[in-house]
Amino acid sequence: MLILQSLSKTYKTGDTALSEVSLTVPKGQIMGLIGPSGAGKSTLIRCINRLVEPTGGQVLLNDVDLVGLGKRELRQQRRRIGMIFQEYALVERLTVMENVLSGRLGYVPFWRSYLRRFPAEDITRAYALLDRVGLLQHADKRADALSGGQRQRVGIARALAQDPELLLVDEPTASLDPKTSRQIMRLLIEICAERGLPAIVNIHDVPLAQQFMQRIVGLRAGRVVFDGSPDLLTQDALTTIYGEEDWNAMRKGDEEQTAAEADARDRISALAR
Amino acid sequence: MTDVTHHSQVWTYRTPRARLLLWGGWFALVALFVYCWQVMTAGTMWVFVWDAPKQAADIGGRMLPPRWGYLGELMGPLWDTINIATLGTLGGVIMAVPVAFLAARNTSPSLLVLRPIALFIIVASRSINALIWALLLVAIIGPGLLAGIIAIALRSIGFIGKLLYEAIEETDARQIEAITATGASGAQVLSYGIVPQVLPTFWGITVFRWDINIRESAILGLVGAGGLGLKLEASLNTLAWSQISVILLLILGTVVVSEWVSSKVRHAII
């Protein structure tokens, strides 16, 4: 179970991306997060595994507060959170198998990962996951040799290799065609159901969200303005979330993106220390 | 839309101020050229210049035919030259890689202290020619191959370090973010997120620098750092022009071969 308590994020530029967001995601629930660009969706899921550092509030994952953990504890907690990205974010020059095994990095010492000598059970697990997402015969291909849909399947396998207790999914279908998008969503839903995994899915496509999500949360300007089942998402509700024509928010979207990227860069340079 | 009823027919690419600056810039350049030309002519003894074609023909005549028998004597120094270049490149790489990671904005552990130091190392290494490094090192550790190897290595740090740190800064942040999100340690993020992205560039840079180093090490002997340059100096001192032509042709041949090797290797990697 994931509990967010008055989670807030204000970027150094002074932009408030999240203000006092409180949500509870029970075990096995798949929650869709919708909202206009710049509403703070991306910031919200990155605050959970602290790729973006929240400025206030609590993130409780099965009773462990992730905010305020030291570097080592944070790394151990990140293993419990699988993340799936918009443009797959696979390491393009590594093979499919290496990409899936990179989900185990938090569990193995540096020298084992460096020499690619992963424990036998990790390798068995990786093959099983590749089989589950239907890419077993592609294990030794380089990631950049695959199609978009296949790459996103590798991304899913990598996240599952972590043996996570929560999935964070950032726009999983934004770079895919409608048919592949639905296949990927279906796969995600099945996998979450098999494992009783809770998931937060950022999604642009409202019909896709209504088709696949059990619960939808609408975010606008960093605040929760809708929380309910997909059937309750009426025209009025959509207007509340997206507005009639909110050009201001779209411009803010670019700013938020830039701020998030700068923040992520800082975080990564801090990690390399 | 606001109602615009009239659109101007005049549009200029540059503002009047920019145009003035541009013309001023070109004028300054021409003035500088004229001034430099005057300085050059004032310092030239024209009798020697009028003489030039004759002198060139004379030296050319002495160079031909090349004394091919001298080639056998050059094989040892050639081997030394190749060794200086290869070992120097290796030493340069070993020192340049950590410097590059310290200098890259996204991997540097401290932007305020270590990054400026690393950038200074790169600039210092690049600002001094290998020949000058060799001159200093021959004075410090005495003549011989070692001075040449260290000179090449010191000069290579800047070149490899600069190109490598730029490649590190251009890596895709999303791939690094994804590896970070798995709970990987800093060293694992480097080895899985960053190294695969810069590896082809790294090999390309290294082979390219080796190719340059072959050329540079061929002349290091001029200041006593071993290799073909030693023979060149000896021949120059005794005005043995027919030997000098053999040495120059050998250097040309070596450089052509090293270029060929480096282009083959780069094609194989990328």
Side-chain angles (χ1 to χ4, degrees), chain B residues 27-41:
Chain B
F27 182 76
L29 209 64
V30 171
L32 186 71
F33 178 78
V34 171
Y35 173 72
C36 290
W37 184 266
Q38 275 172 346
V39 171
M40 186 191 77
T41 34

Side-chain angles (χ1 to χ4, degrees), chain A residues 46 51 75 78-79 85 87 89-94 102 105-106 108 110 113 116 118 158 162 268-269 271 273, chain B residues 105-109 173-189 191-193 196-197 200:
Chain A
R46 279 173 172 74
L51 285 175
R75 285 210 288 114
R78 272 186 181 151
R79 303 186 304 197
F85 296 85
E87 304 207 30
L90 301 180
V91 182
E92 301 283 331
R93 291 190 153 268
L94 297 184
S102 69
L105 286 177
V108 299
F110 173 75
S113 63
R116 310 296 196 258
F118 285 86
R158 172 175 66 189
Q162 285 173 240
I268 285 156
S269 60
L271 268 162
R273 217 166 279 175
Chain B
R105 203 176 281 280
N106 53 346
T107 56
S108 184
R174 287 170 307 186
Q175 298 180 30
I176 301 167
E177 191 186 32
I179 297 295
T180 310
T182 65
S185 68
Q188 287 172 326
V189 171
S191 89
Y192 272 71
Q197 291 192 58

Side-chain angles (χ1 to χ4, degrees), chain A residues 3-273:
Chain A
I3 302 171
L4 306 182
Q5 276 169 0
S6 39
L7 193 64
S8 302
K9 170 66 185 178
T10 307
Y11 284 110
K12 273 184 230 152
T13 52
D15 294 318
T16 303
L18 292 178
S19 40
E20 307 272 320
V21 172
S22 297
L23 284 172
T24 301
V25 186
K27 194 169 159 58
Q29 186 180 67
I30 297 167
M31 190 194 94
L33 199 57
I34 64 171
S37 305
K41 306 191 297 287
S42 196
T43 303
L44 177 61
I45 66 166
R46 279 173 172 74
C47 277
I48 294 171
N49 62 359
R50 282 175 57 194
L51 285 175
V52 169
E53 201 65 51
T55 38
Q58 281 186 314
V59 177
L60 294 165
L61 178 60
N62 297 343
D63 299 328
V64 181
D65 185 7
L66 302 184
V67 179
L69 287 179
K71 222 186 292 178
R72 177 173 290 271
E73 292 84 9
L74 175 63
R75 285 210 288 114
Q76 282 174 358
Q77 294 302 320
R78 272 186 181 151
R79 303 186 304 197
R80 304 163 62 201
I81 307 171
M83 193 159 176
I84 294 163
F85 296 85
Q86 176 176 350
E87 304 207 30
Y88 332 121
L90 301 180
V91 182
E92 301 283 331
R93 291 190 153 268
L94 297 184
T95 63
V96 167
M97 191 63 179
E98 281 171 302
N99 269 292
V100 177
L101 285 170
S102 69
R104 300 303 295 171
L105 286 177
Y107 295 91
V108 299
F110 173 75
W111 66 270
R112 287 200 91 129
S113 63
Y114 181 75
L115 299 172
R116 310 296 196 258
R117 297 177 74 90
F118 285 86
E121 59 267 36
D122 287 3
I123 291 169
T124 317
R125 184 204 307 264
Y127 274 126
L129 285 168
L130 279 177
D131 196 16
R132 176 67 188 84
V133 299
L135 289 175
L136 196 53
Q137 72 278 26
H138 297 299
D140 292 321
K141 278 193 190 157
R142 244 168 62 161
D144 53 9
L146 301 184
S147 70
Q150 289 173 327
R151 287 194 217 189
Q152 193 56 292
R153 287 162 191 272
V154 178
I156 293 171
R158 172 175 66 189
L160 293 177
Q162 285 173 240
D163 201 9
E165 294 163 45
L166 170 72
L167 277 187
L168 301 175
V169 191
D170 190 15
E171 304 278 0
T173 60
S175 342
L176 299 174
D177 65 67
K179 182 160 182 264
T180 318
S181 294
R182 275 157 183 77
Q183 290 169 344
I184 290 289
M185 288 307 291
R186 208 165 288 127
L187 179 67
L188 269 174
I189 303 304
E190 283 170 16
I191 282 172
C192 287
E194 280 165 21
R195 298 163 179 249
L197 263 178
I200 299 183
V201 186
N202 274 357
I203 196 158
H204 254 311
D205 190 335
V206 175
L208 204 63
Q210 284 181 298
Q211 185 181 347
F212 288 102
M213 298 297 135
Q214 300 166 359
R215 172 188 173 193
I216 287 181
V217 167
L219 217 56
R220 181 173 185 176
R223 289 174 196 282
V224 176
V225 292
F226 175 86
D227 188 350
S229 81
D231 331 322
L232 298 176
L233 200 62
T234 56
Q235 288 299 321
D236 282 350
L238 281 173
T239 307
T240 325
I241 299 169
Y242 287 99
E244 297 286 359
E245 213 177 41
D246 202 345
W247 302 114
N248 235 357
M250 282 185 79
R251 225 173 303 125
K252 207 165 155 280
D254 285 343
E255 284 164 20
E256 195 212 28
Q257 186 84 17
T258 320
E261 274 163 14
D263 199 287
R265 258 199 303 282
D266 291 350
R267 305 274 316 139
I268 285 156
S269 60
L271 268 162
R273 217 166 279 175

Side-chain angles (χ1 to χ4, degrees), chain B residues 14-52:
Chain B
R14 295 192 173 88
T15 62
R17 192 183 147 75
R19 241 175 304 162
L20 196 68
L21 280 174
L22 197 68
W23 280 109
W26 280 108
F27 182 76
L29 209 64
V30 171
L32 186 71
F33 178 78
V34 171
Y35 173 72
C36 290
W37 184 266
Q38 275 172 346
V39 171
M40 186 191 77
T41 34
T44 306
M45 294 175 130
W46 288 101
V47 272
F48 288 113
V49 178
W50 303 136
D51 206 18

